[in-house]
Amino acid sequence: MPLLELAHLQKSYGPVKALEDLSLEVPEGCLYGLLGPNGAGKTTTLRILATLLAPDQGTVEVAGIDALQDPRSVRCLMGYVAQEVAIDKILTGRELLQLQGDLYHLQPANRDKRMEELIALLGMQDWIDRRCGTYSGGMRRRLDLASGLLHRPQLLVLDEPTVGLDIESRGAIWQVLRELVQQGTSVLLSSHYLEEVEALADRMAIIDAGRVIAEGTPDELKQRLGGDRVTLRVREFSDQLEAERLQRLLQPVEGVLQIVVNRAQGYSLNLVVEGDQVLQRLRQQLDQAGLPVFALAQSRPSLDDVYLQATGRTLMDAELAVAGQRDTKQERKQSMR
Amino acid sequence: MTSPVATPTSAPMAELVQETMALTRRLFLQLQRRPSTLVAGVLQPLIWLVLFGALFSRAPEGLLPGGISYGRFLGAGVIVFTAFSAALNAGLPVMFDREFGFLNRLLVAPLRSRSSIVLASVIYITTLSLIQSLAIMATAALLGYGWPGMAGLGLVLITLLLLVFAVTALSLGLAFALPGHIELIAVIFVFNLPLLFASTALAPLSFMPPWLGWLAALNPLTFAIEPIRAAYAGPLDLSVVLLDAPYGPVSGYVCLLVLMLLTVGLFLLIRPLLNRKLS
């Protein structure tokens, strides 16, 4: 039985459908990554899971408990680290952890011992007694991670845990998450960073427009794609017209399975190829047409290719498409009680 | 392997106390580090007391019912106003928690009952407003405006408690009903002073034109002011008529009964709203 089972979740905010029909299973003891661009429905999914939001349709089960029927039991099992870290600026980090421990009804002695463990684990000794208002983004995120871990949850849920963080804080958080999974905690995190999911996740799902469009281990997803990847540029920055002409020119070359125009990278071409000496044949074809080659590289498929294959656009394209469209005021209203 | 430290089956009452204490402690830590609310809440009525007391200090003797000095008359009004203003602000911390998402942090936790969030606010604001009122009472005593006896003090505290509960309920209701702190502050700003003026805090009913007399006789503040004024005036007797309202005489018992009904009514009124917002 999976630790977490989301089935056919649907959620709309007025006319906007945030979740179309989302189903997901997270096995016990694994680090599970939800990958998707902003606006794909990751935060909505996690907020439903955290019992902050009721879905319009669908079911949520954690360790066999129906989260919609018995949210309190699920809250006991779960630690939730939200994306926007709400913090009381006037309290010190230690006072905030104490408050959190009391809200989870830890015995005071137990609570204080656990706090010391986490302060050491996350390297917070030097500033834990300073007021939270003085903390940097990385310090806040570490404090929030600590408060999510205080009651030793069976499942830790993190919404974009390292977005906007410096490399050092990011590395520290990654390290803690890896250790947690080794010790038996299950972790579910959302991210729009490919490399984060690639580096951490045992299993992953790609979410786009409110549904899961691919699911498996990162290796499975890449292998399922098949073939190698070739990136081709005839000049550093091309335009759409030229890219489409090239697409037509190279499509008939033997061993070329698919060609996608990558708008986000100056209209380079992303090719899926199979077999030997495809590169050579591509060069020949370009030579005959009298076209230069600025860059031509072959690689194994990456998660970006998985995303590209599933959605027809790169993750960066998807990010760009929603950038500037987000209504942060509306989003804040949605999360406000 | 990790084992959960939180045991969901332990004593519900102990858990309720633990979470309420923790939430109350947070509010008092905020007050301790940002005492301006406390100080301003005492300063403003203090200025009223000194300025208004001085303004009418040469009013002709025997102008007020019972022939008391204006300072003595004003004292009860300012004490009630102090408690009222403090309680009216009860919703502000809750509103900020809603807006900044801190409330969500509380709602993710397995609270035994979410009434602990409301309960913590009530404990905090009641303590704060009583401290402020007592500071004003002490100052009034120093200015020579008198001090109620032991029984009188008991009556003052009970009256203030009832009023504070009622107003806190109202303010918490507004904090969940309104969209943001700007709107909440606007409502507080609009209602604060007019409620003071349209009561018997600054002048007796007999000074007012009929329409204002009606307003003052329906104003909840009046029902708190009159028993406290009576407690200051001397021998305590709640069955005595304290207010000659346009609709009939009002005794001390009636005043307290009205405040009690108001408190109960307001808590019943906001309950569905709180249940919905905290569910």
Side-chain angles (χ1 to χ4, degrees):
Chain A
M1 191 184 67
L3 177 64
L4 166 67
E5 199 173 345
L6 304 176
H8 305 294
L9 288 184
Q10 293 180 26
K11 179 73 195 175
S12 300
Y13 300 109
V16 182
K17 268 217 146 151
L19 296 183
E20 199 67 49
D21 177 15
L22 189 135
S23 301
L24 200 67
E25 286 186 5
V26 177
E28 186 154 10
C30 101
L31 201 157
Y32 200 99
L34 284 185
L35 178 67
N38 282 323
K42 303 189 298 290
T43 297
T44 303
T45 306
L46 297 190
R47 286 173 55 82
I48 288 174
L49 178 55
T51 71
L52 279 174
L53 198 65
D56 300 336
Q57 290 281 328
T59 57
V60 182
E61 261 188 35
V62 183
I65 302 166
D66 184 339
L68 304 176
Q69 291 299 316
D70 186 5
R72 214 181 94 80
S73 300
V74 168
R75 287 179 200 129
C76 289
L77 297 176
M78 195 161 52
Y80 173 65
V81 181
Q83 188 175 358
E84 285 298 321
V85 191
I87 225 163
D88 189 327
K89 291 183 178 178
I90 306 178
L91 299 188
T92 67
R94 189 184 298 276
E95 285 161 352
L96 199 81
L97 287 180
Q98 274 169 357
L99 171 65
Q100 191 86 12
D102 284 333
L103 297 183
Y104 282 84
H105 311 113
L106 307 188
Q107 295 303 313
N110 219 334
R111 174 196 70 195
D112 295 344
K113 194 170 141 257
R114 180 71 178 145
M115 273 166 55
E116 290 311 321
E117 278 172 34
L118 288 168
I119 289 168
L121 178 71
L122 287 154
M124 307 192 290
Q125 299 90 336
D126 293 342
W127 42 266
I128 194 70
D129 287 309
R130 295 208 322 243
R131 293 193 194 176
C132 298
T134 65
Y135 291 179
S136 69
M139 288 151 96
R140 282 174 173 223
R141 213 64 62 89
R142 281 191 228 188
L143 179 63
D144 229 46
L145 184 55
S147 57
L149 287 172
L150 210 50
H151 61 294
R152 296 185 193 277
Q154 226 180 315
L155 173 65
L156 180 68
V157 178
L158 308 112
D159 196 0
E160 307 261 3
T162 65
V163 69
L165 287 195
D166 55 284
I167 295 187
E168 194 197 335
S169 294
R170 190 167 85 158
I173 286 177
W174 282 11
Q175 189 53 37
V176 171
L177 294 182
R178 286 199 184 100
E179 283 168 21
L180 274 173
V181 175
Q182 266 170 20
Q183 289 158 14
T185 307
S186 310
V187 176
L188 172 64
L189 66 82
S190 76
S191 181
H192 65 275
Y193 295 141
L194 284 166
E195 61 277 21
E196 181 157 82
V197 176
E198 183 118 53
L200 290 176
D202 304 316
R203 284 189 80 82
M204 61 175 293
I206 298 179
I207 296 189
D208 193 63
R211 26 172 113 238
V212 172
I213 53 176
E215 207 272 348
T217 69
D219 282 341
E220 272 171 22
L221 289 180
K222 287 186 242 172
Q223 274 166 19
R224 212 177 292 163
L225 279 185
D228 274 4
R229 292 298 175 278
V230 169
T231 311
L232 168 71
R233 293 158 185 263
V234 291
R235 63 185 91 246
E236 191 168 7
F237 295 104
S238 205
D239 57 34
Q240 191 162 359
L241 220 68
E242 185 175 49
E244 280 166 5
R245 216 175 60 227
L246 273 170
Q247 195 177 13
R248 284 194 298 274
L249 176 72
L250 298 177
Q251 195 72 66
V253 174
E254 193 196 333
V256 173
L257 301 179
Q258 191 193 359
I259 304 180
V260 178
V261 175
N262 189 343
R263 199 153 51 86
Q265 283 175 12
Y267 293 100
S268 64
L269 291 190
N270 291 17
L271 294 79
V272 182
V273 301
E274 211 168 45
D276 297 330
Q277 282 148 11
V278 185
L279 280 192
Q280 220 173 333
R281 283 197 291 276
L282 285 171
R283 268 184 208 284
Q284 272 171 12
Q285 186 80 339
L286 288 168
D287 259 356
Q288 281 167 20
L291 285 164
V293 173
F294 178 76
L296 185 63
Q298 188 168 7
S299 61
R300 303 292 305 160
S302 70
L303 279 183
D304 209 5
D305 298 315
V306 175
Y307 187 82
L308 185 68
Q309 178 72 30
T311 64
R313 55 182 183 171
T314 63
L315 191 59
M316 195 187 268
D317 257 343
E319 285 286 315
L320 287 175
V322 292
Q325 268 182 25
R326 304 198 83 177
D327 188 347
T328 44
K329 204 176 157 194
Q330 193 62 33
E331 278 171 30
R332 198 160 130 178
K333 244 188 181 162
Q334 281 160 11
S335 73
M336 200 170 135
R337 286 284 172 150
Chain B
M1 205 38 217
T2 52
S3 61
V5 185
T7 41
T9 46
S10 61
M13 199 57 209
E15 291 191 353
L16 190 66
V17 171
Q18 188 180 16
E19 65 199 33
T20 308
M21 292 280 286
L23 291 168
T24 312
R25 180 166 177 266
R26 168 176 172 240
L27 293 170
F28 277 105
L29 278 172
Q30 288 179 338
L31 180 69
Q32 188 195 334
R33 287 172 198 167
R34 277 191 189 161
S36 48
T37 338
L38 178 73
V39 174
V42 174
L43 265 186
Q44 197 201 12
L46 204 64
I47 294 169
W48 284 98
L49 196 63
V50 171
L51 286 185
F52 260 76
L55 189 62
F56 290 100
S57 60
R58 297 203 176 165
E61 294 227 356
L63 184 73
L64 289 160
I68 55 170
S69 77
Y70 187 72
R72 284 187 86 97
F73 179 84
L74 181 67
V78 172
I79 291 165
V80 168
F81 179 63
T82 309
F84 169 70
S85 303
L88 203 53
N89 287 317
L92 268 179
V94 175
M95 178 59 99
F96 283 123
D97 278 354
R98 278 181 69 205
E99 284 186 298
F100 292 122
F102 201 86
L103 187 63
N104 281 337
R105 179 194 280 271
L106 307 182
L107 296 183
V108 168
L111 296 181
R112 180 49 73 172
S113 164
R114 289 174 168 187
S115 344
S116 54
I117 298 171
V118 175
L119 205 57
S121 286
V122 174
I123 295 173
Y124 166 73
I125 215 73
T126 306
T127 316
L128 177 66
S129 59
L130 286 187
I131 290 173
Q132 290 174 337
S133 301
L134 284 171
I136 292 297
M137 286 173 73
T139 318
L142 287 177
L143 289 170
Y145 299 158
W147 178 263
M150 271 321 276
L153 188 63
L155 176 64
V156 172
L157 291 181
I158 288 172
T159 312
L160 288 180
L161 273 180
L162 285 174
L163 180 73
V164 166
F165 286 160
V167 179
T168 301
L170 179 72
S171 184
L172 288 174
L174 287 172
F176 281 104
L178 296 174
H181 72 275
I182 307 273
E183 289 81 359
L184 181 60
I185 290 173
V187 169
I188 292 174
F189 187 75
V190 165
F191 281 102
N192 199 357
L193 286 185
L195 271 168
L196 175 71
F197 288 123
S199 76
T200 57
L202 305 177
L205 275 188
S206 56
F207 285 20
M208 300 176 192
W211 64 269
L212 186 59
W214 268 99
L215 278 183
L218 294 172
N219 184 341
L221 290 192
T222 301
F223 293 99
I225 292 165
E226 291 307 326
I228 291 178
R229 193 165 280 151
Y232 268 80
L236 196 61
D237 185 0
L238 284 174
S239 54
V240 170
V241 171
L242 299 178
L243 188 72
D244 224 349
Y247 48 79
V250 177
S251 73
Y253 284 121
V254 172
C255 283
L256 293 185
L257 186 69
V258 167
L259 287 180
M260 208 177 296
L261 289 177
L262 185 71
T263 304
V264 173
L266 280 171
F267 268 103
L268 288 179
L269 188 73
I270 67 164
R271 232 176 87 142
L273 177 71
L274 295 188
N275 280 343
R276 188 154 46 84
K277 293 284 187 171
L278 293 176
S279 73

